[in-house]
Amino acid sequence: MTTTELPDTAIQQDAPESQVPGVTRGETLDGHVPDGPPSTAWARRKLAYKLVNPANRAKFKVIVVGTGLAGAGAAAALGELGYDVHSFTYHDAPRRAHSVAAQGGINAARARKVDNDSIERFVTDTVKGGDFRGREADAFRLGEESVRVIDHLNAIGAPFAREYGGALATRSFGGVQVSRTYYTRGQTGQQLQVASAQALLRQVDAGTVTLRTRHEMLDLIVDDGRAQGVIMRNLLTGEITAHTADAVVLATGGYGNVFYFSTLAKNSNASAAWRATQRGAHFASPSFIQFHPTALPVSSRWQSKTILMSESLRNDGRIWVPLAPGDERAANDIPEAERDYYLERRYPTFGNLTPRDVASRNASEQITAGRGVGPLKNSVYLDFRDAIARLGKAKIAERYGNLFEMYTHATGEDPYTVPMRIAPGAHFTMGGLWSDYDQMTSIPGLFVGGEAGWGYHGANRLGANSLLSACVDGWFTLPYSIPSYLAPLLGKPRLPDDAPPVLEALERAQTRTEALLAADGEHGPTYFHRLLGDILYAGCGVHRTSSTLTTAISEIRALRGRFWAELRVAGTGDHLNQELEKAGRVADYLELAELMCVDALDREESCGAHFRGEHQVDGEAARDDDLWAFVSAWEVPGDGTFVRHHEPLTFDAVPLQKRNYK
């Protein structure tokens, strides 16, 4: 579905022509944000939504792909409302979704502490943290619903930490100066996922949700200009089947694994979102990639992934490097006077709690300058010596014990006695499928939730806003907006399973699967994935320049050619075949990676995690609000060209300002 087929999404505002070969300027998109103050937009939109009579809800079928916090919440809520919900996951159980990995906490503007927090401060922190490249009205919805999210999760069994008197406990995260992060030790994502999965299974037991595990989405069915189903492959039997519906929700997570070395689970992938892009959905801000500052460094070329250490550790840990480049001494042998606590020095107001993009960029600069530590000189120290001396080992163990244990298992070192070693690692993707204020993509009937979308976070996500945004989407946005979309469809027949668009989608999926299985080259898919990761870390990593991006685009195109010429997929397609799964995902990464680099090359500014070396002032990101205060939403025709549509961004409650954490 192209923008010209959606005239109601177009408004008039110009944008600069792209200087990137093969890129053309498209239409201006309307995010359908209600007119008026952004602080009341959500209340007014909810009141304007169409409703579906409870007696009619079972007549509508909704497919939800993904069972993380966004997918589980949406499926459970819609099921409890009475809709016919079909939930799919490639996991063997819904609780295994990657939301379990967000350990540190979940933000909420509940203002329970006397530290002057409020929804307005939450919005200011979120908009500023995203470097003014996200929707302001979305940030208000995030803050407003955050109160309900905590109360709801607490009610369905999430074991939040509590103060002595019984009130829910909070701590701070990067980019804020108040305490608004609710947590369950260092297992917050895991505990919230367990609670949400149980809520989903309750609806499965009630018969309102049909759950299919070990199914992977291979294609999207589009007919009459709207999404009307999905093509799924049973990972155990290889059977490829079509499933039609009145609406489809993609809650399939982010695409950080495109970098190979990332904090994501190895199965996390971009294929569902990329298939929607190939069917006409716009992909927003693909180059906005967050590098987590407290990932564990790669210690071996043949390590399979990096490991995430929660940002909550920066509450008490101090980050430093040796003053002298190439210092070979053990950390505890370096005296205080010869240590550089560079975040505290450069950003005295926020110190070690600077936003993730700032912390990662500074760590990368220290490593590049030769002050990196560890066997490969590719990390910095996160030191708890002073916190243990001040609070005692027992208190630190109470707050972070499971994280310290995980670090010891991964490295063989004891963080109670020697500093942790951390390094920036590819983590969260602020980009994703473009959607309007109602979470609907440029394809009517296709909705998106959680990290698969682009909303809320702009060019940098504040820590502990990821679990929140997924929960807000799943529990408190999609259950309002989807019924409003469905209401006018009452009485219209659902697309038959044997309709031509369904059969065409089935044939596409079958043909692609057969092409992958027929590959009889020299290398498995992991070989190409590693090479792609090397290209992206060098060309589209923490620092990007016109030169590195141009080189990366050329290398990605060459690698994609090699992939299809040299790929080998062992086994057959009629049983569990993880090599086949990997091959399909890497093929998608090789296409998405080019778009990421094109987007980064096209955006002639620095903002948040998108740091172009040509656009900086005193080492800080230099935005260009006159030309680039918009979201790039890319259309991919499939002929090697790209069309950059854009949605203008306006800021009424939080005026555009220089982002300063000093």
Side-chain angles (χ1 to χ4, degrees):
M1 171 66 63
T2 63
T3 308
T4 53
E5 294 173 295
L6 294 170
D8 60 313
T9 67
I11 59 176
Q12 295 301 312
Q13 179 169 316
D14 209 356
E17 292 283 358
S18 177
Q19 302 303 308
V20 181
V23 173
T24 57
R25 183 177 63 186
E27 300 290 338
T28 306
L29 302 178
D30 184 355
H32 297 130
V33 177
D35 294 332
S39 59
T40 60
W42 183 227
R44 288 181 282 114
R45 175 51 57 85
K46 286 192 293 184
L47 189 60
Y49 278 143
K50 301 179 182 69
L51 302 178
V52 177
N53 185 329
N56 290 326
R57 292 173 186 171
K59 300 175 182 177
F60 291 110
K61 180 179 176 182
V62 179
I63 287 176
V64 181
V65 185
T67 58
L69 287 179
L78 289 167
E80 189 154 5
L81 287 170
Y83 294 93
D84 178 18
V85 180
H86 290 246
S87 173
F88 292 88
T89 177
Y90 59 68
H91 294 292
D92 54 5
R95 63 180 291 174
R96 292 180 62 86
H98 192 60
S99 295
V100 300
Q103 306 141 316
I106 176 172
N107 285 336
R110 294 170 92 235
R112 294 297 193 264
K113 286 186 178 290
V114 188
D115 59 0
N116 205 14
D117 196 13
S118 64
I119 290 179
E120 290 75 13
R121 286 191 185 277
F122 174 95
V123 171
T124 298
D125 290 339
T126 299
V127 171
K128 178 183 173 185
D131 216 355
F132 296 89
R133 291 298 176 261
R135 276 202 206 107
E136 189 179 56
D138 283 15
F140 271 103
R141 178 172 66 202
L142 193 67
E144 181 180 339
E145 293 291 8
S146 69
V147 179
R148 280 213 292 172
V149 163
I150 299 300
D151 292 340
H152 176 71
L153 292 171
N154 186 42
I156 64 174
F160 286 114
R162 295 179 182 271
E163 304 288 0
Y164 178 76
L168 299 186
T170 58
R171 56 190 177 199
S172 297
F173 254 61
V176 305
Q177 294 177 294
V178 296
S179 181
R180 69 164 67 106
T181 305
Y182 295 78
Y183 63 97
T184 64
R185 296 186 68 192
Q187 306 172 359
T188 311
Q190 178 178 337
Q191 298 300 331
L192 302 193
Q193 178 64 36
V194 168
S196 296
Q198 287 300 112
L200 172 62
L201 292 176
R202 176 173 174 266
Q203 295 307 311
V204 173
D205 183 64
T208 64
V209 175
T210 300
L211 174 67
R212 292 181 178 87
T213 59
R214 295 180 175 177
H215 277 70
E216 184 164 35
M217 177 176 157
L218 297 187
D219 215 326
L220 179 72
I221 300 169
V222 180
D223 183 48
D224 192 28
R226 57 190 180 94
Q228 300 200 51
V230 295
I231 303 297
M232 306 298 298
R233 179 176 182 270
N234 185 317
L235 297 180
L236 296 182
T237 67
E239 182 184 12
I240 297 175
T241 53
H243 305 265
T244 59
D246 299 293
V248 176
V249 179
L250 295 187
T252 50
Y255 50 94
N257 261 346
V258 67
F259 283 85
Y260 186 77
F261 286 121
S262 85
T263 64
L264 277 68
K266 294 301 291 182
N267 270 342
S268 297
N269 64 86
S271 291
W274 190 246
R275 205 66 66 245
T277 302
Q278 292 178 322
R279 301 285 80 78
H282 301 332
F283 205 108
S285 306
S287 67
F288 287 0
I289 310 291
Q290 183 171 87
F291 292 82
H292 201 292
T294 51
L296 298 191
V298 175
S299 57
S300 166
R301 168 65 184 164
W302 300 111
Q303 188 171 319
S304 64
K305 69 184 299 297
T306 55
I307 298 173
L308 173 66
M309 301 303 294
S310 169
E311 182 181 315
S312 62
L313 294 168
R314 292 200 279 149
N315 271 277
D316 290 304
R318 299 180 70 193
I319 296 172
W320 64 276
V321 292
L323 273 174
D327 195 323
E328 297 289 344
R329 290 176 291 178
N332 289 337
D333 293 337
I334 300 176
E336 189 74 11
E338 298 178 36
R339 301 181 177 191
D340 182 11
Y341 296 90
Y342 57 89
L343 290 178
E344 298 174 26
R345 170 175 56 81
R346 293 194 62 179
Y347 309 96
T349 300
F350 281 76
N352 296 296
L353 287 177
T354 56
R356 291 178 177 179
D357 61 317
V358 175
S360 290
R361 187 160 60 248
N362 277 267
S364 178
E365 289 171 357
Q366 296 296 328
I367 294 168
T368 301
R371 297 184 181 86
V373 300
L376 300 183
K377 305 298 182 184
N378 62 347
S379 52
V380 300
Y381 288 127
L382 178 63
D383 197 341
F384 288 85
R385 181 195 64 180
D386 295 345
I388 291 173
R390 183 179 71 254
L391 300 170
K393 180 178 178 181
K395 177 59 69 173
I396 296 301
E398 178 185 322
R399 293 178 178 177
Y400 313 112
N402 64 305
L403 298 173
F404 277 39
E405 182 180 351
M406 183 171 69
Y407 181 87
T408 299
H409 285 320
T411 66
E413 300 173 0
D414 179 10
Y416 290 106
T417 58
V418 298
M420 288 184 177
R421 290 180 291 108
I422 58 172
H427 177 55
F428 189 89
T429 53
M430 284 75 68
L433 291 176
W434 179 86
S435 59
D436 64 11
Y437 188 67
D438 302 319
Q439 300 294 110
M440 189 161 70
T441 70
S442 54
I443 301 178
L446 177 64
F447 294 82
V448 65
E451 195 178 348
W454 76 279
Y456 306 114
H457 308 302
N460 174 66
R461 176 179 62 78
L462 293 186
N465 267 359
S466 62
L467 294 178
L468 175 61
S469 58
C471 290
V472 168
D473 285 350
W475 289 108
F476 298 118
T477 302
L478 294 170
Y480 288 115
S481 62
I482 291 175
S484 184
Y485 167 78
L486 294 174
L489 300 179
L490 183 65
K492 293 185 178 180
R494 188 175 304 135
L495 188 66
D497 289 343
D498 59 353
V502 178
L503 300 179
E504 290 169 11
L506 274 170
E507 184 178 1
R508 279 197 307 267
Q510 189 66 52
T511 299
R512 187 173 188 269
T513 301
E514 291 172 355
L516 291 169
L517 287 168
D520 191 25
E522 303 174 18
H523 304 293
T526 301
Y527 172 83
F528 297 98
H529 196 182
R530 285 182 180 272
L531 294 178
L532 177 61
D534 291 342
I535 293 170
L536 289 176
Y537 265 106
C540 194
V542 177
H543 294 263
R544 303 101 181 258
T545 67
S546 174
S547 176
T548 66
L549 290 165
T550 300
T551 299
I553 291 171
S554 176
E555 291 176 344
I556 291 168
R557 290 172 177 169
L559 183 62
R560 190 161 65 239
R562 285 188 58 195
F563 174 84
W564 287 106
E566 302 174 19
L567 173 69
R568 180 176 185 272
V569 176
T572 65
D574 57 1
H575 58 77
L576 181 64
N577 187 343
Q578 292 185 316
E579 286 297 284
L580 174 60
E581 297 170 35
K582 291 178 185 177
R585 294 164 185 175
V586 174
D588 293 330
Y589 285 146
L590 285 164
E591 296 178 3
L592 173 58
E594 181 178 355
L595 178 60
M596 288 167 49
C597 293
V598 167
D599 180 51
L601 184 59
D602 176 66
R603 184 166 285 271
E604 289 285 354
E605 66 164 354
S606 289
C607 56
H610 170 62
F611 190 81
R612 283 282 296 270
E614 305 94 332
H615 304 290
Q616 56 179 303
V617 177
D618 298 328
E620 303 297 330
R623 295 195 321 264
D624 184 347
D625 295 327
D626 292 335
L627 293 179
W628 294 96
F630 61 79
V631 176
S632 297
W634 294 89
E635 180 185 348
V636 183
D639 57 1
T641 65
F642 305 94
V643 182
R644 187 240 291 147
H645 306 289
H646 65 283
E647 179 192 341
L649 297 171
T650 58
F651 301 92
D652 299 318
V654 187
L656 284 165
Q657 57 191 270
K658 183 179 179 181
R659 191 164 172 252
N660 185 1
Y661 292 95
K662 297 182 178 181

